[in-house]
Amino acid sequence: MMREPRDRAELVGALLGADIEADAMRRVYAGDHDDWMTALESTGLFDLRALAEIASSWAADPRVLRDALLAEADEFTRRRCLAEWAALERGPVVAVGR
């Protein structure tokens, strides 16, 4: 698993971690990371190489982005989002006919 340098991961979490919802977890899980990459690009804090490394890290393991987004979240938000992530990992619920 590719890991971001600790200080970079903390900075990413601080920049992106506002107001996370369960829908964000579905997008992260599915690999739809464009909005977060755009947000990081717009800060001007990362050069192209760093952005490429971050994107690669997220693509290799979406939990890296998930954890960054939840780093500053309150406990309620964190639990709700982690429950959504766990549901995604279990896969779709199959309805049983009557």
Side-chain angles (χ1 to χ4, degrees):
M1 171 171 76
M2 179 180 258
R3 306 236 351 127
E4 291 182 43
R6 183 167 175 78
D7 56 336
R8 182 188 298 164
E10 290 173 359
L11 181 57
V12 169
L15 291 169
L16 299 180
D19 231 4
I20 300 304
E21 296 296 328
D23 178 61
M25 294 296 101
R26 289 187 286 276
R27 291 175 47 219
V28 170
Y29 188 86
D32 179 10
H33 306 152
D34 292 344
D35 288 344
W36 292 287
M37 283 307 304
T38 299
L40 289 184
E41 288 174 29
S42 70
T43 67
L45 295 173
F46 302 96
D47 63 19
L48 290 177
R49 181 177 179 198
L51 290 167
E53 289 171 356
I54 291 167
S56 177
S57 173
W58 294 353
D61 185 358
R63 294 173 297 180
V64 174
L65 174 55
R66 177 201 67 189
D67 293 347
L69 293 172
L70 295 177
E72 301 290 322
D74 61 77
E75 189 61 26
F76 177 76
T77 300
R78 184 173 180 72
R79 286 181 187 213
R80 183 171 30 81
C81 289
L82 289 175
E84 177 65 27
W85 191 273
L88 292 166
E89 287 182 329
R90 285 191 301 271
V93 175
V94 177
V96 177
R98 295 179 189 194

